[in-house]
Amino acid sequence: MSAVQDEFQGLETVDDRHVIGRHIVWHEETESTNDDARRAAETGEQEGLVVIADGQTAGRGRMSRTWTSPPGRDILFSVLLRPDVTDLPKMPLVAGLAVARTLDAFTDQPVTLKWPNDVRVADRKISGSLVESGSSKTGYFAIVGTGVNVNMDAGAHPEIAEIATSLRTLTGKSVSRREVMRKLLFEMDCIYSSPEQMGRLVSDWSSRLETIGQEIDVRWGGEFIHGVAEGVDETGRLLLRDGGGELRLLEAGEVTTQLSGQ
Ligand code: BTN
């Protein structure tokens, strides 16, 4: 049994009411867990698959950024979901809210969200999610890939030293990846598998948003739009009042704020 399998085994759900974690696979090293989950989706894997890696050689973030995480320190995983197509745009919100609720249990400091899906503590990014969608013979799917900085020392990585943090940095002690992962899968499943929680997702998620009321720069395709974030709509799209006074509706899946961390 590999070391990562040993650390994370036993987290599978055993109850049919739960979706996320029905099947878990582990890699000591892989290019990107999002690619592994996508390949599984394309060959018909049912939703709920979780792919966990100890390290990634080509981990990626939004806007073609690299996701920095030294092997053996943090949480790197992707979940295959097959939501109703109308719920696809909400998958980044499911990830962000589940991470925030999880981190509440590991730090006393407020855990906030920066639109669209950075999770932040003490003004620094601690987690991000990259949600990719596709379709196969069995229908639409979403790959929800999430990185959580658990034990890394962001200061040792110049490209993120000024903008990122980890649970270990915040608490001054090593934190169990297994315990963080266990709670995170539970929180994600509680939201995704509950029509009631999905119904109030945008409201719960936006109550943690630190972006609202701020002046921000948003990348939309090749251009940056400067404006004031006025709120979010019922699917999590950002309402941005641009410099010309026009209200723009921006999809979380397609744009990001210019200075979004790691
Ligand atoms: C971001 O904030 O830009 C999103 C970061 C997403 C990183 C995770 S780590 C696990 C999964 N595999 C990847 O290649 N990326 C996501």
Side-chain angles (χ1 to χ4, degrees):
M1 186 184 295
S2 70
V4 66
Q5 182 173 357
D6 194 29
E7 186 171 354
F8 290 112
Q9 78 160 338
L11 296 182
E12 293 91 344
T13 54
V14 287
D15 181 331
D16 280 351
R17 285 171 302 174
H18 302 294
V19 172
I20 295 172
R22 280 173 176 158
H23 180 195
I24 300 183
V25 298
W26 307 265
H27 296 288
E28 288 287 336
E29 183 181 276
T30 189
E31 289 187 356
S32 160
T33 55
N34 267 34
D35 294 340
D36 297 325
R38 174 180 289 274
R39 278 191 290 274
E42 287 171 349
T43 52
E45 171 87 30
Q46 68 168 346
E47 70 169 345
L49 168 74
V50 177
V51 181
I52 303 176
D54 208 39
Q56 296 182 126
T57 54
R60 58 179 187 276
R62 296 164 54 77
M63 296 175 68
S64 311
R65 292 191 182 105
T66 299
W67 183 256
T68 303
S69 175
R73 296 290 178 94
D74 302 316
I75 285 179
L76 306 165
F77 74 108
S78 300
V79 182
L80 162 61
L81 296 173
R82 297 186 183 275
D84 188 279
V85 70
T86 55
D87 279 338
L88 267 176
K90 294 186 184 169
M91 295 303 108
L93 285 58
V94 172
L97 184 61
V99 171
R101 286 180 174 168
T102 297
L103 296 183
D104 281 345
F106 292 89
T107 173
D108 293 335
Q109 303 197 52
V111 183
T112 60
L113 297 168
K114 179 177 170 187
W115 188 89
N117 56 5
D118 289 359
V119 182
R120 290 164 58 83
V121 183
D123 280 334
R124 288 177 175 237
K125 180 165 174 174
I126 192 164
S127 171
S129 295
L130 174 67
V131 179
E132 299 173 317
S133 54
S135 63
S136 64
K137 280 185 199 145
T138 40
Y140 291 100
F141 61 82
I143 306 298
V144 183
T146 301
V148 184
N149 300 340
V150 179
N151 289 313
M152 72 136 74
D153 173 12
H157 303 275
E159 71 279 20
I160 56 169
E162 302 299 321
I163 53 176
T165 190
S166 70
L167 282 175
R168 184 186 181 135
T169 303
L170 291 166
T171 62
K173 51 182 196 259
S174 181
V175 175
S176 161
R177 289 194 298 177
R178 180 186 172 81
E179 289 314 309
V180 179
M181 191 71 192
R182 180 205 298 279
K183 180 148 178 68
L184 183 42
L185 294 180
F186 172 79
E187 293 292 348
M188 217 181 247
D189 188 71
C190 281
I191 300 169
Y192 182 75
S193 301
S194 156
E196 194 246 321
Q197 291 251 356
M198 286 299 286
R200 50 173 224 255
L201 173 63
V202 175
S203 147
D204 288 350
W205 169 82
S206 50
S207 69
R208 291 184 187 252
L209 263 187
E210 58 178 56
T211 316
I212 305 309
Q214 290 185 358
E215 271 192 47
I216 57 168
D217 291 297
V218 174
R219 182 156 135 175
W220 178 260
E223 61 165 334
F224 278 98
I225 307 168
H226 181 81
V228 176
E230 291 197 348
V232 288
D233 76 358
E234 70 286 350
T235 62
R237 288 180 299 181
L238 187 72
L239 304 168
L240 186 79
R241 182 78 60 186
D242 70 17
E246 190 187 336
L247 197 58
R248 317 269 292 250
L249 260 182
L250 306 176
E251 291 273 352
E254 295 175 36
V255 297
T256 192
T257 50
Q258 187 178 20
L259 299 175
S260 72
Q262 198 167 323

